Amino acid sequence: GFQGKVIPIHHKEDEILGFKAYTSIEQVPDSVDLAVIATPTEYVNNILDGLGQNGVRHSIVLSGGFLEAGNQKGQEEMKNIGEKYNMKIMGPNCSGEVVAPDINITHVPWPPRKGGASIISQSGTYAVQPLIAISEKIGLGISKIVSVGNEVNTDLVDFLEAFEEDKDTNCIGIYFEAVRRGKKFIEVVERLNLEKPIVIIPIGQTDAGTRSAKSHTAAITSPGYIIDSICEQTGAVRVKNSIDMLNLLNAFDSLPLPKGNRVGILTMGGGPGTLMSDLLESNDMKVPVLSDELQDKLKPWMPETASTINPIDLTYSDDMQNYLNILPDILLQSDEIDSLIIYGLMGSEYHKNLVNVPDFMKNNSSVQTMKSFGDMMQDFFIAIFDELISYKEKFNKPVILTCYNTRREKFVAYLQDHGIPVYYPEEGIWILIWMWQYSKFIQWKKKADKISG
Amino acid sequence: GFQGKVIPIHHKEDEILGFKAYTSIEQVPDSVDLAVIATPTEYVNNILDGLGQNGVRHSIVLSGGFLEAGNQKGQEEMKNIGEKYNMKIMGPNCSGEVVAPDINITHVPWPPRKGGASIISQSGTYAVQPLIAISEKIGLGISKIVSVGNEVNTDLVDFLEAFEEDKDTNCIGIYFEAVRRGKKFIEVVERLNLEKPIVIIPIGQTDAGTRSAKSHTAAITSPGYIIDSICEQTGAVRVKNSIDMLNLLNAFDSLPLPKGNRVGILTMGGGPGTLMSDLLESNDMKVPVLSDELQDKLKPWMPETASTINPIDLTYSDDMQNYLNILPDILLQSDEIDSLIIYGLMGSEYHKNLVNVPDFMKNNSSVQTMKSFGDMMQDFFIAIFDELISYKEKFNKPVILTCYNTRREKFVAYLQDHGIPVYYPEEGIWILIWMWQYSKFIQWKKKADKISG
């Protein structure tokens, strides 16, 4: 947990959640690094002024009721206070920030796992609500989340520059509504995207969207084609929904980039193998037929009914070591594929449900055997997963697992927490497609810069 | 649970999972309604012949190793046995069937909730694996699932005709790889889709997909444009991934159809409201500005900072009764919207996490108050939900809830199990778009038939 000191200030309570409370900043004996303001609108500027007088130089204003509500005067006054005291203000009308794992100044109490993805959001909701999805399904590792609100004297671009310096940030997601410093924004994204992949989800490109955004953060939204052009020029990846953005950040944070567009599919089911192939080949990716030599290397580890062409379809096998260690090892080692997608684990809930039998069977010895088999599977799986997890580094190629489980299933949480992303089958395909788009752009850009420089 | 009798037959065990086992069908004293065969390939046809001799007229062959593995002779033999005894065979090379809630002849032990969606799958994996997603996130209510395998003497079309008669089936999903009776298929889909919406997800339209499908169920796949034409002609809805199909079936099973394309968005967050508006207005839907009269009716129930235009953005409010009962009631009652999408619940895990505080605070009275508030919320929520659930019938308009939670959160399970679908925000939008596509086709088709008839 957070090791620093938390000091509540309240106009009448003298204790809040066990912390001694003060009635004003003047009474606080310690020097204050950061003030968080959540009061009715009419008190905010007075409080900021008091903070400024007492040497506080960083504030987060959660309170709304400023420009987004037509209160231009209030917001200008706040801007002047910031200038007077050289105080950086995040907000107003924002949802706070997260610095994982210890600081969470938001109203959504889901603790994210510590990781390398940072998010800047011009929507307070999109800054904090996806924390729930992250914790229940996606398992994305977070470094920082900031909700910029009305951007009174710190904006999107400031935080991008901060994340450029930040060693804990590996990739950046932006919920983008409008930009107040367009040229600078493009310049920073263009430079930063070469080192840390940037994923953008634009909000507010239609009549209704624009109307909604205006009452939201007082933003004049930018039409979709502008964001399209920015992404084309800078190589930032544009996605269309929030889950895709979180999934993609997860992949950028965990995996090496694919060096080409050839994908190996290792599957326990023909249907998902076929559908994943379709999606890949309709989107500039290849599921290449493997060479006879490579197929011959795979065959001894697969059932006779299996197909080795690619998708490599085991049809069914309960030898997890062949499935998740030996076959991936052979495939990744070859120079015939650039990334590997694996479909088909069911994990331990599967075995738990298997023994969900009628009462009269409960003491039957076969059921008991199956039950202890289920328990045993846990440890057994972890050994196999640790080996699998090591492959992405060993061969420097992305490895993605797909299945229908959420983090309720322990094996999903284990893999996600150790850097193997786990998605629904078709979700995983889109992640590979976007990663390759990004990788291709970077390869092209570096080559182009070399020629022109 | 299943009330009928289960009789194992095994060549050497005399008891399986507590059931007395026999060594052959001749020894079984009872008459048998359905036989399920899961043995090595070489025994299957002999067993089928024995079953036929002993009067069994329905079999499911899970075993593979027939046409999909190049064993044409074996499959022809099976066909002849079927003809000889007038025996209906499902499979071979299939994953069985589910008749919810009591019969689950598959290897995936997740029990689906009983509902009105039936699925026919030419992929065994897609027949049964999504049961996991259904149970962890989607909450789809299932009537029947059948995996048709190599379709030796029962095919896709037979099951479509069976579901046409089946009173428990409200809508149908098809994992479509190839059709063996094309003309008949189109004829049945065209007729059936007018009464029970059909959702199709085609598998195998690219080189790799075709290759994969061929080794999968020996199917010669149909190119994508053929399925596109079939959907255009019949009004069946084509989707591109398995989660979309399950989500859409969920909506068709639970909700009335939208009569027009005007959507009301009631939200606790500007960002999702804006993004949902964008997606709707980019896809033939409208998020109309509400009339002044309607806005005036909404205002008394909303915070002053809120926006009533549409999206109706409460910014934030903790009055759940206003949010989930009074405002939806006013909106749905009006003739200005055809469907309602609500964003923003966090539920009870939210309050549980809120009190996830450091140890030294545990006995603090404010924390205790918050904790019992969390418990109290459960019952309180249910009363509000029951009212909300009644609206879709009362006003005969679809109501969808969106948030970032899975079924781990009790309120999600409660709503889904009582007929209000719960999706991620952008998922919910696509569901409305597809429902409207279907509804528009049906309206047009009925009008056209009236004129021509």
Side-chain angles (χ1 to χ4, degrees), chain A residues 349-361:
Chain A
E349 286 275 332
Y350 173 73
H351 297 94
K352 267 197 262 169
N353 272 288
L354 264 185
V355 293
N356 189 5
V357 293
D359 273 347
F360 74 93
M361 286 191 193

Side-chain angles (χ1 to χ4, degrees), chain A residues 96-144:
Chain A
E97 67 166 12
V98 172
V99 180
D102 290 336
I103 302 179
N104 181 357
I105 304 173
T106 79
H107 62 288
V108 175
W110 268 266
R113 181 170 70 82
K114 167 99 181 115
S118 289
I119 293 173
I120 306 173
S121 181
Q122 290 184 318
S123 149
T125 306
Y126 271 132
V128 295
Q129 286 270 29
L131 287 176
I132 303 169
I134 288 172
S135 117
E136 295 196 13
K137 163 111 171 60
I138 292 163
L140 171 65
I142 291 292
S143 175
K144 282 118 198 131

Side-chain angles (χ1 to χ4, degrees), chain A residues 20-273:
Chain A
K20 176 177 167 41
Y22 298 84
T23 49
S24 75
I25 180 73
E26 286 82 12
Q27 299 172 351
V28 176
D30 311 84
S31 78
V32 168
D33 296 318
L34 173 69
V36 180
I37 300 169
T39 66
T41 313
E42 60 264 39
Y43 304 116
V44 173
N45 280 334
N46 263 349
I47 292 170
L48 278 172
D49 196 78
L51 292 170
Q53 281 179 39
N54 286 272
V56 179
R57 291 296 167 260
H58 295 93
S59 294
I60 298 176
V61 180
L62 305 176
S63 314
F66 295 89
L67 199 56
E68 88 285 1
N71 176 8
Q72 194 165 353
K73 196 167 153 264
Q75 186 149 333
E76 263 169 31
E77 202 181 316
M78 188 182 295
K79 196 170 177 152
N80 293 337
I81 293 169
E83 206 163 315
K84 187 169 160 193
Y85 299 108
N86 191 25
M87 183 197 285
K88 293 279 178 204
I89 301 171
M90 199 169 106
N93 183 33
C94 82
S95 286
E97 67 166 12
V98 172
V99 180
D102 290 336
I103 302 179
N104 181 357
I105 304 173
T106 79
H107 62 288
V108 175
W110 268 266
R113 181 170 70 82
K114 167 99 181 115
S118 289
I119 293 173
I120 306 173
S121 181
Q122 290 184 318
S123 149
T125 306
Y126 271 132
V128 295
Q129 286 270 29
L131 287 176
I132 303 169
I134 288 172
S135 117
E136 295 196 13
K137 163 111 171 60
I138 292 163
L140 171 65
I142 291 292
S143 175
K144 282 118 198 131
I145 298 175
V146 293
S147 161
V148 296
N150 294 3
E151 303 186 321
V152 63
N153 76 9
T154 58
D155 71 2
L156 188 49
V157 177
D158 292 312
F159 288 103
L160 274 176
E161 290 184 312
F163 290 155
E164 188 169 16
E165 304 294 315
D166 178 32
K167 281 184 189 135
D168 292 335
T169 295
N170 297 329
C171 55
I172 298 161
I174 305 176
Y175 287 98
F176 179 92
E177 207 169 72
V179 67
R180 285 156 175 98
R181 294 190 279 162
K183 210 177 145 192
K184 182 79 178 168
F185 174 71
I186 298 174
E187 181 197 311
V188 175
V189 170
E190 192 159 22
R191 185 178 69 230
L192 184 45
N193 187 53
L194 292 178
E195 303 304 324
K196 305 184 180 188
I198 295 178
V199 184
I200 298 182
I201 182 163
I203 305 172
Q205 276 102 49
T206 57
D207 282 359
T210 304
R211 213 161 59 227
S212 170
K214 206 166 167 184
S215 70
H216 177 212
T217 53
I220 307 302
T221 51
S222 318
Y225 66 86
I226 292 182
I227 262 294
D228 284 340
S229 316
I230 293 178
C231 289
E232 206 171 314
Q233 180 182 336
T234 62
V237 185
R238 179 188 165 158
V239 295
K240 285 191 180 165
N241 80 55
S242 50
I243 299 300
D244 286 339
M245 175 160 131
L246 301 173
N247 280 335
L248 183 53
L249 288 174
N250 191 10
F252 278 136
D253 186 34
S254 319
L255 299 176
L257 290 174
K259 275 169 231 49
N261 68 348
R262 300 164 308 164
V263 182
I265 297 179
L266 180 60
T267 176
M268 281 278 202

Side-chain angles (χ1 to χ4, degrees), chain B residues 7 45 65 68 84 91-93 101 112 133 139-140 165 208 238 282 307-308 375 377-378 382 392 417 420-421 431 451:
Chain B
I7 304 164
N45 281 333
E68 89 284 2
K84 189 170 161 192
N93 182 33
L140 171 65
E165 302 296 314
R238 180 191 165 158
S282 316
S307 168
T308 50
D375 291 339
M377 285 301 273
Q378 295 282 7
I382 285 176
K392 57 173 186 157
D417 293 352
I420 297 280
I431 296 308
I451 292 168

Side-chain angles (χ1 to χ4, degrees), chain B residues 229-240:
Chain B
S229 317
I230 293 178
C231 290
E232 207 171 314
Q233 180 182 335
T234 62
V237 185
R238 180 191 165 158
V239 294
K240 285 192 177 164

